[in-house]
Amino acid sequence: MMRPRLGAALLAVAAALGGGAAQADARVAICFNYGCLTEAEVVFSEAQLAQVAGLLGRAASAAEERAALAEAMGLLYRWAGTQSPISADRAGDFLDDGAYGAMDCIDHAESTTRLLRLLEARGMLRFHAVEPIRRRTRWLVTQHFSAVVRENAEAPRVGASFVVDTWFGEHGDPAVVLPLEDWLDGEGPNVS
């Protein structure tokens, strides 16, 4: 039986040396301008995806994979911002000042879910599976959406779900990853 870190390292080396099946650059539609009103297709190169695979491949547990996912989302958003106007996005909804390329939580939830599905489809998630977008409602007037992952059968807490929320930070910051239950109770950075 191969240890997870060793297996991930061997896969990364094989990919770097051209071993295994070659995959094409990945194209993902990124939402912006609030409510997924506008989309731009961005392309992630194999070198970029190999960098993300290396980051995630070092995780030896579900908790480590969530930490790596937070970093990976920041990287993917920074790269997407060089090909689309989303680099204008600021934390929350009110700091954007109506900039073209601003993203609300719907844009972030949809785009982050698409990015997570890309990682999942390429076998980069070993401890989590991508879940449908979740919504929280507070005080009957505010709602917030986020991407969600669930620990899989290889994780110690099978079934525990976590939000992967890129809306809270500045463009390209690591995602905020919280237990779904805490997020539903209103946890997360205070963004004004």
Side-chain angles (χ1 to χ4, degrees):
M1 179 164 156
M2 193 178 303
R3 294 186 3 228
R5 285 187 185 192
L6 178 59
L10 290 174
L11 288 174
V13 169
L17 295 175
Q23 292 181 312
D25 294 344
R27 298 177 182 281
V28 177
I30 299 294
C31 294
F32 57 96
N33 287 343
Y34 286 35
C36 211
L37 180 65
T38 311
E39 294 185 359
E41 184 178 80
V42 298
V43 179
F44 299 106
S45 71
E46 279 307 307
Q48 290 169 325
L49 294 171
Q51 184 176 343
V52 171
L55 178 65
L56 291 167
R58 289 191 293 273
S61 68
E64 287 180 14
E65 187 169 82
R66 287 191 298 276
L69 268 177
E71 295 295 326
M73 287 299 116
L75 272 176
L76 291 167
Y77 270 91
R78 282 194 301 276
W79 292 328
T82 66
Q83 303 172 56
S84 70
I86 67 167
S87 60
D89 186 47
R90 302 283 313 278
D93 287 337
F94 303 112
L95 300 174
D96 300 320
D97 199 27
Y100 184 74
M103 301 173 74
D104 66 359
C105 64
I106 294 169
D107 295 319
H108 277 281
E110 186 64 41
S111 298
T112 300
T113 299
R114 291 173 183 178
L115 294 170
L116 289 167
R117 292 212 183 281
L118 167 67
L119 302 181
E120 184 177 55
R122 290 187 168 231
M124 293 184 204
L125 300 182
R126 293 179 295 129
F127 297 101
H128 296 87
V130 181
E131 291 286 297
I133 292 170
R134 292 295 301 264
R135 177 183 76 167
R136 72 177 181 197
T137 304
R138 307 221 1 151
W139 304 297
L140 301 174
V141 293
T142 61
Q143 48 184 353
H144 183 62
F145 297 84
S146 183
V148 178
V149 294
R150 177 186 37 80
E151 289 183 348
N152 64 23
E154 295 184 23
R157 291 180 7 177
V158 175
S161 294
F162 298 83
V163 297
V164 180
D165 200 330
T166 54
W167 176 83
F168 288 114
E170 294 293 325
H171 173 74
D173 281 353
V176 171
V177 180
L178 294 168
L180 176 62
E181 298 81 19
D182 294 347
W183 179 84
L184 288 170
D185 286 339
E187 290 295 319
N190 183 13
V191 179
S192 44

